[in-house]
Amino acid sequence: MTGTGTRPGELAAETVGGLIAARAREHPGKPALVVDGTELTYGELDQAVSEVARGLLAVGAAPGDSVGILLPNRAEYVLTWFGAARAGLVEVPVNTAYKGQFLDHALRSTDVRFLVTEPALLELVADLSEPPHTLTTVVVLGDTAPGRTPPGVRVLSWRELLAAGDPARELPRVGPSDPVAIMLTSGTTGRSKGVVYPNRMQVVAARECATQLGTTSDERLYTCLPLFHGAAQVNITLHGLSAGATVVLGRRFSASGFWDEIRAHRVTQFNALGSILPVLLARPPSERDRDHQVERVFAAPAPPEVLHPFEERFGVHIVEGYGLTEIKNVLYNPLDARKVGSIGLPTESSIVEVHDERGNRAAPGQAGEIVYRPCQADIMFAGYRGDPEATLATMKDLWWHTGDLGYTDEDGYFYFIDRKKDALRRRGENISSHEVESVLLAYPGVVAAAAVATPSELGEDEVLAVLQLESGRQVDFAGLFAHCDRAMPHFMVPRYYRVVDELPVTPTGKVRKTDLRGQGRDDAWDAHAAGFTPARHV
């Protein structure tokens, strides 16, 4: 904490807590948040945010402390996020599918001191061999007492948290450069990293999203994506509140109930990741396909073979864009000058180029790496938590390197080609191949493993595990799948498994994953075809 910021409500365009206070002054009686049948006006939201902020400080949180949120989409998630921001604390969104080593790493690497969760999810924390050393307090929602709790950790109810706060307590100053969140991103050569967000980064990202999508204050924005994702947090929730609109949160995606929920809440915008658009498009046509108020959809990816039929059938306009956890969305395909297939043009605060292998700007049509520079301070990540070497490794010649390949056209529009990195993307989730491989290597008889992407019939990736076994060993694929299902979040569990005599490697010993992807999966064991699907925990 710098201590040089302002109190809530000031610098509204610069801090998350200030943004909420400013909208409450402008629209005190207007609906701000709708979730699970609960509706909060901007005035009620602002008041509740201050209550949570004072409660967190009263139970021992100090500015700069990390507050983990392990929750599905619900009102308390938003209140904890904004309450932490107003108190100068740092939100850590934790994927509700995490368990075991993944949950332990998420909490431990971000130094989570306070955790807000539900009884069922607290069981996963209690299952850890030992709680992270920084974790002192858990706040549990609901009226049901948790069955098991982590040893040596104080457990409070949500009601006790709110009651602890003193309404007269002065809240700390928070500045635009102060950290507001640590978002966990997938590593490509190591474990997931904690991406530290300054306040201004979240606020500018939300404001630019509203500008690019032409969002007005009389709109109703919807997401059913989980709030531990930036797509739901910033691209819908904070985006909608930045515009003074109403934000509607769904619990999770349901293809059969999606449009009914959209109609019931009079939604004008929603966002979609992964296979959501193809899945909705695959549903049987209905005479009610255009019986809704949606005008615009922010979606990534939306290839032409999906975009055109979706727009024609449902009567919406799809906006594509490009961004990464570390740099926010930096490209949007403009509403009034769209080029289908492009990922768009840079936002006002972004300098984006394509560079060749020597670091020179690539000519139009020439493939190279997409690189980025911000136009102002504190609008990209402040670094990876506790990992300055990894932070520096992403910078070269004063450019942040995305690891993604692309090109531009003569008009300056950007086009995405492929990832240079080994990260995978499945059902809207980023996956670290390194973490998948570490679980595969723990299975008896596996001496080498590589996790690579293979095309899915729904778009994005499926995960293919390529294995090298001990000499003379055979693999029980059903047993290996069960091992992975026990150890990994459901979205990380490989669907395909293939055994090779020896993994192809470079002269320096690195696996040539391009070769493995090129070999396909025709001879792979398919868990879905064999009747196995990963278990969900929420």
Side-chain angles (χ1 to χ4, degrees):
M1 291 295 298
T2 66
T4 59
T6 62
R7 290 178 176 79
E10 300 173 358
L11 276 179
E14 304 290 335
T15 65
V16 171
L19 171 64
I20 302 305
R23 294 299 171 266
R25 291 195 302 271
E26 297 163 359
H27 315 287
K30 181 179 180 181
L33 183 68
V34 179
V35 55
D36 284 343
T38 298
E39 181 176 286
L40 293 176
T41 66
Y42 275 92
E44 291 167 339
L45 175 63
D46 183 56
Q47 180 179 349
V49 165
S50 289
E51 290 176 358
V52 173
R54 291 188 172 96
L56 287 167
L57 294 171
V59 298
D65 282 348
S66 296
V67 179
I69 308 178
L70 181 62
L71 291 172
N73 288 2
R74 53 186 299 168
E76 291 89 348
Y77 196 122
V78 179
L79 297 181
T80 304
W81 166 24
F82 292 154
R86 185 163 289 179
L89 307 172
V90 184
E91 174 222 10
V92 179
V94 182
N95 194 319
T96 55
Y98 279 173
K99 56 189 174 183
Q101 62 177 309
F102 302 96
L103 178 60
D104 182 76
H105 176 70
L107 300 176
R108 198 177 296 274
S109 66
T110 56
D111 297 317
V112 166
R113 186 177 175 200
F114 295 82
L115 180 68
V116 180
T117 188
E118 294 179 340
L121 291 168
L122 183 57
E123 296 274 338
L124 300 177
V125 182
D127 284 340
L128 300 177
S129 57
E130 60 178 291
H133 68 282
T134 56
L135 184 62
T136 64
T137 304
V138 172
V139 178
V140 185
L141 305 185
D143 298 324
T144 304
R148 291 183 296 115
T149 60
V153 174
R154 175 178 55 167
V155 178
L156 302 172
S157 69
W158 181 258
R159 198 168 298 156
E160 289 172 323
L161 173 72
L162 297 183
D166 179 359
R169 178 170 187 159
E170 183 176 338
L171 294 170
R173 294 185 173 189
V174 179
S177 63
D178 291 327
V180 70
I182 303 174
M183 308 293 286
L184 288 161
T185 187
S186 296
T188 58
T189 58
R191 307 191 77 177
S192 300
K193 303 179 183 69
V195 178
V196 181
Y197 276 25
N199 266 267
R200 181 183 282 141
M201 180 181 177
Q202 279 202 336
V203 174
V204 170
R207 185 169 65 236
E208 289 186 337
C209 194
T211 299
Q212 295 291 331
L213 275 84
T215 307
T216 63
S217 61
D218 59 355
E219 294 201 58
R220 296 173 68 87
L221 280 62
Y222 171 86
T223 188
C224 56
L225 300 173
L227 280 169
F228 52 74
H229 268 290
Q233 269 205 19
V234 178
N235 293 348
I236 287 291
T237 304
L238 201 58
H239 155 203
L241 298 176
S242 175
T246 300
V247 174
V248 181
L249 297 178
R251 273 279 182 161
R252 60 160 54 103
F253 175 67
S254 165
S256 61
F258 181 83
W259 288 110
D260 287 338
E261 191 164 9
I262 291 292
R263 295 182 191 103
H265 289 290
R266 308 185 310 281
V267 171
T268 61
Q269 282 190 45
F270 68 83
N271 64 348
L273 293 179
S275 59
I276 287 179
L277 295 187
V279 166
L280 291 174
L281 200 54
R283 303 259 324 153
S286 165
E287 61 183 12
R288 300 196 70 191
D289 280 344
R290 291 199 174 203
D291 178 17
H292 57 76
Q293 299 178 46
V294 176
E295 298 176 358
R296 296 175 302 288
V297 177
F298 181 75
E305 58 270 22
V306 172
L307 183 147
H308 288 305
F310 195 94
E311 288 188 341
E312 182 177 351
R313 175 173 167 182
F314 296 106
V316 301
H317 181 99
I318 294 175
V319 178
E320 289 188 272
Y322 172 85
L324 294 166
T325 305
E326 293 89 341
I327 60 174
K328 68 179 177 56
N329 284 354
V330 297
L331 300 169
Y332 285 90
N333 217 334
L335 284 171
D336 56 354
R338 180 180 69 174
K339 289 191 178 184
V340 174
S342 167
I343 52 176
L345 298 170
T347 65
E348 184 180 6
S349 69
S350 306
I351 303 172
V352 187
E353 294 183 359
V354 174
H355 286 186
D356 63 20
E357 293 182 355
R358 295 184 178 182
N360 298 316
R361 187 171 183 176
Q366 179 185 358
E369 184 175 9
I370 300 171
V371 296
Y372 163 80
R373 272 185 193 159
C375 291
Q376 63 183 112
D378 303 319
I379 61 170
M380 66 178 291
F381 81 133
Y384 296 115
R385 176 80 167 206
D387 198 344
E389 292 83 6
T391 305
L392 289 173
T394 64
M395 301 295 298
K396 183 181 179 182
D397 299 330
L398 300 180
W399 291 92
W400 193 81
H401 287 245
T402 67
D404 290 336
L405 297 173
Y407 66 94
T408 60
D409 65 16
E410 294 287 350
D411 297 320
Y413 284 73
F414 284 74
Y415 297 79
F416 177 81
I417 297 175
D418 201 355
R419 292 181 285 274
K420 290 176 64 177
K421 303 176 182 180
D422 289 332
L424 313 173
R425 189 168 180 83
R426 184 189 197 194
R427 306 295 189 269
E429 299 277 1
N430 290 319
I431 300 171
S432 165
S433 59
H434 173 86
E435 292 179 342
V436 175
E437 290 156 6
S438 68
V439 173
L440 293 168
L441 287 169
Y443 191 74
V446 177
V447 295
V452 298
T454 186
S456 165
E457 60 268 33
L458 295 176
E460 293 196 317
D461 301 329
E462 291 287 356
V463 181
L464 165 66
V466 186
L467 312 169
Q468 181 179 329
L469 304 179
E470 293 176 356
S471 179
R473 289 291 292 257
Q474 301 291 320
V475 64
D476 172 12
F477 287 115
L480 176 57
F481 179 87
H483 162 78
C484 292
D485 193 26
R486 286 192 299 270
M488 298 185 212
H490 65 87
F491 60 84
M492 295 178 69
V493 177
R495 172 178 173 178
Y496 297 99
Y497 300 77
R498 180 157 59 87
V499 175
V500 296
D501 292 336
E502 191 173 8
L503 290 176
V505 296
T506 67
T508 58
K510 295 181 180 180
V511 177
R512 296 200 305 268
K513 292 190 175 181
T514 302
D515 293 1
L516 297 178
R517 286 191 288 267
Q519 293 167 8
R521 60 170 191 254
D522 289 346
D523 58 346
W525 183 79
D526 182 352
H528 290 191
F532 296 90
T533 55
R536 288 177 178 266
H537 296 275
V538 177

